[in-house]
Amino acid sequence: MTESPTSQIRVRFAPSPTGYLHIGGVRTALFNFLYARNQGGVFLLRIEDTDQQRSQPEYEEEILSSMRWLGLNWDEELVYQSRRLDRYREAAAELLSRGLAFEEEKDGKKAVVFKMPRRKVLFHDVVHGPVEFDASLFEDLVIMKSDGFPTYHFAVVVDDHDMSVSHVIRGDDHLSNTPRQLLLYEAFGWKPPKYGHLPLIAGADGAPLSKRHGAVSVTHYRKEGYLPQGMLNYLALLGWGADANQEIFTLQELVKKFSLKKINKAQACFNPEKFLWINSQHLKAMPEEDYLKGTAAYYPEESAALGAENWRRLVLLYRTRIKTFRDLKTEAGYVFNAPGEYDAQLKESLLQDSAAASTLEAWSRDCAGALADFEDHETLDKKTREFCAGLGIAPKILIHPLRFILTGKTVSPGLFELMSVLGKSECQSRVSFFLKTLGRTAS
């Protein structure tokens, strides 16, 4: 097949649907995407699904869903290796006809084997610079298995050529694959793409990032309430030399600043705490409307139960206190589920004033009871303080126990804003429940 000349930058991400999308794979996809967008080129997606035993539809669906969620949208029709078997057989037949490959029979089935040239292979890697391998140390390469499916090395060469890929940007674990693939390009008489191999992402122990270091899939972090922009920002900093004075980037800023020349050679270390911090910065910077939609989508049942206005007030109240959407349930769990029991020591400490229980009863009856609702938190605040002044007590004498009763905690966002979200009925119900634990009843 003749060369398809093109001067346009064309890069690809080629995951195998044999597992969930790994964040190391996302980093590879991201660098390809950024390079294509920065250069006005094309970003392609190819599903390498020739491993029939391990490839699963659910993994493919997860990969595609994750790519869309991240906003790493590909430009042309999705390519599946499993639908290109005739093309691989055609290419293998060409090498056989030219004496560059031979058939090897086993158990009545034939495989096709490429005759590995016995010489040195030199190439320029856009990350590592000059690289040399001695191909005389390589064994002959099976390119078509006896089951009729291509091997990895053969399929990617044929695919990258047919897709006019100009640059192959992938992990360092593929560096030793490159000389074999270059020799296949040479055998076909095709111009090879330029290669760039990215430093691997390591765990804290220096070993390649894997499940033993904790969660590594996009799906996990998505379920944990991380933002796609937070993930992309953090992964871009792993192995890429950004500006020294900037750590927070939008995707548009990454596109504008990205350069292959700034990719580091040394492996990058995954830092969960730094990832969490970067995510929190993006969460705080989200337009309010996006933040509201995002939290409601993450908590569909809870947001529906509270209603749009109460949900808005709640999530804005906790916006500076959470680092992921999931944190909202941790920080504000008492909004959705009233405290069922109370810490005995805190209970004793906050109610050491002998009149505390009577004050709570009077507040519920005379102050809260006189208000039609708690919608206006400023009015609730004012009336509560006036109530305390009338009794000649400092507001904290009532406010601290009230916060504890409503949340089970001694710290929360603004108490009266929170009470507005909970509503009058719920607040009085919790006070009544608490007083019953003391053997008292709110009138």
Side-chain angles (χ1 to χ4, degrees), residues 15 17 46-53 55-56 60 78-89 148-150 155 159:
R46 181 171 74 227
I47 301 298
E48 298 192 339
D49 57 348
T50 55
D51 187 337
Q52 295 296 287
Q53 290 186 334
S55 294
Q56 299 295 330
E60 179 193 326
L78 188 60
V79 173
Y80 290 87
Q81 285 187 333
S82 60
R83 302 174 188 177
R84 289 173 46 80
L85 299 183
D86 287 345
R87 172 68 182 117
Y88 303 133
R89 295 182 185 116
F149 282 82
D159 291 340

Side-chain angles (χ1 to χ4, degrees), residues 228-285:
Q229 53 267 48
M231 176 173 285
L232 294 177
N233 186 162
Y234 179 65
L235 293 179
L237 301 181
L238 295 182
W240 174 65
D243 296 340
N245 297 324
Q246 184 177 359
E247 290 186 298
I248 305 303
F249 296 88
T250 64
L251 185 58
Q252 293 73 25
E253 288 174 323
L254 290 172
V255 167
K256 184 176 180 180
K257 292 176 179 289
F258 187 78
S259 169
L260 293 178
K261 294 179 181 179
K262 291 185 178 181
I263 294 177
N264 301 320
K265 296 180 182 179
Q267 71 177 12
C269 184
F270 184 77
N271 184 330
E273 290 76 22
K274 185 64 173 289
F275 181 14
L276 186 60
W277 177 80
I278 285 179
N279 192 77
S280 72
Q281 300 309 299
H282 281 277
L283 191 148
K284 292 184 177 88

Side-chain angles (χ1 to χ4, degrees), residues 144-430:
M144 291 294 293
K145 296 178 289 185
S146 58
D147 62 4
F149 282 82
T151 59
Y152 164 75
H153 291 295
F154 190 57
V156 298
V157 167
V158 176
D159 291 340
D160 287 344
H161 168 74
D162 289 358
M163 296 168 71
S164 299
V165 170
S166 65
H167 292 70
V168 172
I169 304 168
R170 57 191 181 183
D172 263 346
D173 50 333
H174 286 284
L175 185 60
S176 62
N177 295 332
T178 304
R180 295 173 173 84
Q181 292 165 15
L182 285 172
L183 290 171
L184 283 168
Y185 272 102
E186 183 181 88
F188 281 112
W190 298 337
K191 180 182 177 181
K194 294 180 180 179
Y195 287 89
H197 291 86
L198 309 174
L200 298 181
I201 300 175
D205 58 359
L209 191 65
S210 65
K211 290 182 179 179
R212 68 191 180 93
H213 295 106
V216 293
S217 74
V218 176
T219 294
H220 169 82
Y221 287 104
R222 187 176 178 180
K223 288 180 178 178
E224 287 295 303
Y226 281 73
L227 302 175
Q229 53 267 48
M231 176 173 285
L232 294 177
N233 186 162
Y234 179 65
L235 293 179
L237 301 181
L238 295 182
W240 174 65
D243 296 340
N245 297 324
Q246 184 177 359
E247 290 186 298
I248 305 303
F249 296 88
T250 64
L251 185 58
Q252 293 73 25
E253 288 174 323
L254 290 172
V255 167
K256 184 176 180 180
K257 292 176 179 289
F258 187 78
S259 169
L260 293 178
K261 294 179 181 179
K262 291 185 178 181
I263 294 177
N264 301 320
K265 296 180 182 179
Q267 71 177 12
C269 184
F270 184 77
N271 184 330
E273 290 76 22
K274 185 64 173 289
F275 181 14
L276 186 60
W277 177 80
I278 285 179
N279 192 77
S280 72
Q281 300 309 299
H282 281 277
L283 191 148
K284 292 184 177 88
M286 288 178 77
E288 183 175 302
E289 189 63 26
D290 292 344
Y291 173 71
L292 295 174
K293 287 180 179 178
T295 53
Y298 191 80
Y299 294 104
E301 294 180 5
E302 293 83 351
S303 59
L306 278 182
E309 180 55 26
N310 266 351
W311 184 257
R312 184 189 70 82
R313 289 189 290 183
L314 173 69
V315 297
L316 292 179
L317 195 57
Y318 285 86
R319 185 168 187 176
T320 60
R321 294 171 172 262
I322 63 175
K323 296 180 179 179
T324 70
F325 287 151
R326 186 181 180 87
D327 286 348
L328 181 65
K329 202 66 175 283
T330 303
E331 290 289 327
Y334 45 75
V335 173
F336 310 105
N337 298 290
E341 56 184 45
Y342 295 90
D343 182 275
Q345 288 186 329
L346 286 174
K347 186 176 179 180
E348 182 180 353
S349 174
L350 289 167
L351 296 173
Q352 55 185 325
D353 187 328
S354 59
S358 296
T359 302
L360 284 165
E361 288 176 336
W363 173 85
S364 181
R365 179 185 65 246
D366 301 332
C367 181
L371 293 172
D373 55 49
F374 287 0
E375 290 294 315
D376 186 346
H377 67 85
E378 292 181 348
T379 297
L380 179 60
D381 186 344
K382 179 183 177 182
K383 293 296 184 182
T384 298
R385 293 180 188 279
E386 289 176 351
F387 171 81
C388 291
L391 293 180
I393 63 173
K396 66 180 182 180
I397 299 298
L398 175 63
I399 289 175
H400 290 336
L402 198 53
R403 175 181 283 108
F404 178 64
I405 291 167
L406 297 177
T407 70
K409 300 178 181 295
T410 57
V411 177
S412 75
L415 176 62
F416 299 104
E417 291 94 330
L418 181 60
M419 292 172 72
S420 178
V421 171
L422 288 171
K424 176 180 176 178
S425 176
E426 180 64 21
C427 288
Q428 288 196 295
S429 174
R430 295 186 185 192

Side-chain angles (χ1 to χ4, degrees), residues 2-32:
T2 59
E3 173 68 13
S4 300
T6 179
S7 59
Q8 185 182 41
I9 298 298
R10 293 174 62 86
V11 296
R12 48 74 167 178
F13 176 53
S16 297
T18 55
Y20 293 119
L21 184 57
H22 187 286
I23 56 176
V26 175
R27 199 273 306 265
T28 297
L30 174 62
F31 281 18
N32 277 278

